[in-house]
Amino acid sequence: MINQCRFICFLLVIFLLEGSNSLIAQEALGKINCICIDAGHGGKDPGAISGKLREKDITLAIALKLGKMVKSAYPDLNVVYTRTKDVAVDLRERGRIANKAKAQLFISIHVNKFSKSSVRGVETYVLGLHKSEASFQVAMKENEAIHYEEDYSVKYDGFDPKKAESYIMFNFLKNSHLKNSMEFAAPIQKELIARTRMPDREVRQAGFIVLMDVGMPAVLIETGFISNPSDQKILTSESGQTNIARAIFTAFQTYKNNVERNSVVLTGGQDEQKVIQKQIPRVQQQNQKTSTDEKKEVEKSVTTSGKNDLFYAIQVASSKTQIKDLRYLKLKDKVEELKGTDRYRYYVKRTSSYEKALGFQQEVRKMVKDCFVIAIYKGKQITVAEARKLEQKK
């Protein structure tokens, strides 16, 4: 029991340290430039087995197909793998690989197994405390992979994946990426059901070691039961694996579009910063006229407005609902709130100078890594490009 308490404390420290480095400035994480695909098990760890079939082979095949689809559609996007061949990778090392690559999404692919061959279906998990015995059993099965690691009893300080008390720590850990993880898990589950026709076993939460150190939105996908004849045909066939990979890829596209929709992405080197306003493809036409009218209205009213009507600031958070407590950001500056039509935005360091704002941005990024400059005019957010034009007219 003492060893397990030590392990819980150890993991809590690690989780908090990881969390402190992964604060996000908005629910939409900006442009997705890198993802990490994790093929479950590998090497001396075969994963679930049914006859001559091994989970590690199926997960690798699906992972490589998925990565190829992503790379084909987005050539500039960096696709990182935890493994590309049949090798062993420690559970916690997989998260470190994703963190080192600064991935913005972690996708862990697995295959399920059950004692009753009649059980089948797909399920998608995010990190959290299990709410059912079935979810707990899946987590225990996947966490047993630590037994294949050298010195696992020392490395995990007595953690026993088969004992319920080992999972007490998940009562204390807060998944700071839970919301975004759930927003990715939902379309995955939907697409998998539609493309494979497997039964829906829903999106769930459970305590997976492989997800604990991941400093980004993350999911673990159980793509079917190797113990079920119907699922097995899908999991082992070329067409079935392609359908599974295609389902995850389609869900990724949905998630990527949602994340990047209307988000402001900063690019450029030290000498220049460009602000690009991402547009929403499906509503672009209907909003085009409104957007043009609003720009004219802003430009028209500038001649009668005072200098204090326009200022720049550093956005540090954003939410569809009002955030009551922003102390988790650990900022010394006063955080101000701007209520928009669709979300609340939170900012610090207002200034009338765009150049000063860029300097403030670098300062604030020491605490909130993806903060960015915004422009506010007459109590409403406008693009920085629009603000710069207004400055020239004054």
Side-chain angles (χ1 to χ4, degrees):
M1 185 64 185
I2 293 176
N3 280 340
Q4 289 176 357
C5 288
R6 286 168 56 198
F7 179 68
I8 290 170
C9 293
F10 171 71
L11 284 182
L12 279 169
V13 171
I14 293 296
F15 193 85
L16 289 171
L17 287 175
E18 290 292 340
S20 67
N21 292 325
S22 61
L23 291 175
I24 56 175
Q26 52 179 342
E27 290 178 323
L29 304 178
K31 185 177 181 180
I32 295 180
N33 299 309
C34 179
I35 66 170
C36 182
I37 302 176
D38 172 44
H41 308 278
K44 57 188 176 182
D45 173 17
I49 299 174
S50 180
K52 295 182 179 181
L53 301 176
R54 302 175 299 184
E55 178 180 1
K56 67 174 184 176
D57 301 322
I58 298 171
T59 60
L60 182 58
I62 295 172
L64 293 176
K65 284 179 170 61
L66 171 61
K68 187 176 181 180
M69 291 176 186
V70 173
K71 200 65 180 175
S72 177
Y74 307 100
D76 295 332
L77 193 150
N78 186 21
V79 178
V80 176
Y81 300 90
T82 57
R83 67 183 182 97
T84 55
K85 53 186 178 180
D86 186 17
V87 294
V89 183
D90 290 357
L91 287 185
R92 296 189 62 201
E93 179 61 23
R94 296 169 189 257
R96 294 190 186 106
I97 290 171
N99 293 338
K100 186 177 180 180
K102 296 182 179 180
Q104 292 147 294
L105 201 59
F106 183 82
I107 307 169
S108 188
I109 300 171
H110 288 261
V111 174
N112 223 330
K113 183 180 179 179
F114 197 65
S115 56
K116 294 182 180 179
S117 61
S118 59
V119 178
R120 63 184 303 241
V122 293
E123 51 198 20
T124 307
Y125 284 90
V126 300
L127 180 66
L129 181 65
H130 59 273
K131 297 180 180 180
S132 70
E133 181 62 25
S135 298
F136 182 38
Q137 292 296 327
V138 173
M140 285 197 297
K141 176 178 70 69
E142 297 296 356
N143 290 339
E144 284 179 10
I146 67 172
H147 291 155
Y148 291 96
E149 300 178 20
E150 293 184 7
D151 299 324
Y152 74 86
S153 60
V154 176
K155 188 184 300 182
Y156 294 94
D157 213 354
F159 177 83
D160 188 342
K162 291 184 177 181
K163 292 185 178 180
E165 54 265 33
S166 293
Y167 293 82
I168 293 173
M169 58 187 168
F170 292 100
N171 280 314
F172 305 101
L173 298 184
K174 180 182 178 182
N175 182 357
S176 59
H177 298 288
L178 178 60
K179 183 179 184 298
N180 291 98
S181 298
M182 292 292 284
E183 288 178 352
F184 182 38
I188 289 176
Q189 191 68 12
K190 179 181 177 181
E191 290 294 333
L192 282 171
I193 297 163
R195 289 182 179 273
T196 66
R197 304 296 181 184
M198 291 191 202
D200 180 10
R201 294 178 62 85
E202 302 178 341
V203 174
R204 306 181 181 197
Q205 294 185 47
F208 295 96
I209 297 295
V210 71
L211 300 182
M212 284 194 61
D213 291 336
V214 178
M216 66 211 68
V219 296
L220 185 147
I221 308 164
E222 294 286 356
T223 56
F225 283 77
I226 199 172
S227 50
N228 176 269
S230 298
D231 283 10
Q232 191 179 101
K233 289 179 181 178
I234 297 172
L235 292 167
T236 56
S237 68
E238 183 73 19
S239 61
Q241 292 174 356
T242 299
N243 274 338
I244 292 172
R246 179 67 63 183
I248 302 171
F249 169 70
T250 304
F252 166 69
Q253 285 187 305
T254 299
Y255 175 81
K256 186 176 187 295
N257 290 337
N258 287 340
V259 165
E260 295 179 354
R261 182 178 298 163
N262 275 350
S263 67
V264 178
V265 182
L266 294 177
T267 62
Q270 295 180 346
D271 298 330
E272 106 177 297
Q273 291 281 351
K274 296 180 181 179
V275 180
I276 305 170
Q277 180 69 33
K278 308 297 288 186
Q279 298 296 329
I280 308 176
R282 65 186 176 89
V283 297
Q284 189 171 3
Q285 280 189 329
Q286 68 186 51
N287 283 348
Q288 189 172 7
K289 185 176 183 301
T290 303
S291 178
T292 302
D293 292 341
E294 287 176 349
K295 287 180 183 178
K296 289 181 179 178
E297 184 67 25
V298 169
E299 292 176 0
K300 181 180 178 181
S301 61
V302 70
T303 55
T304 58
S305 62
K307 291 184 179 180
N308 293 331
D309 287 335
L310 172 66
F311 65 88
Y312 300 94
I314 311 302
Q315 181 170 311
V316 294
S318 173
S319 176
K320 291 182 180 179
T321 57
Q322 190 174 33
I323 301 176
K324 301 294 184 182
D325 189 356
L326 288 163
R327 286 178 295 180
Y328 74 93
L329 291 173
K330 299 179 181 179
L331 295 171
K332 295 180 180 179
D333 300 279
K334 179 184 177 182
V335 181
E336 299 185 70
E337 179 185 274
L338 175 66
K339 184 178 180 182
T341 55
D342 61 341
R343 64 197 306 109
Y344 292 85
R345 301 183 186 277
Y346 297 88
Y347 61 89
V348 296
K349 293 187 176 295
R350 64 160 68 194
T351 175
S352 59
S353 168
Y354 176 61
E355 287 70 25
K356 284 186 178 180
L358 291 177
F360 289 149
Q361 173 188 279
Q362 298 305 316
E363 180 184 330
V364 177
R365 278 191 173 175
K366 294 177 182 178
M367 295 302 297
V368 184
K369 66 178 183 180
D370 63 343
C371 65
F372 54 83
V373 177
I374 60 172
I376 298 175
Y377 180 67
K378 287 191 171 183
K380 294 183 180 180
Q381 184 184 5
I382 60 174
T383 68
V384 172
E386 289 171 341
R388 301 290 281 170
K389 287 182 180 179
L390 292 179
E391 283 187 306
Q392 293 173 3
K393 292 190 175 185
K394 287 187 176 183

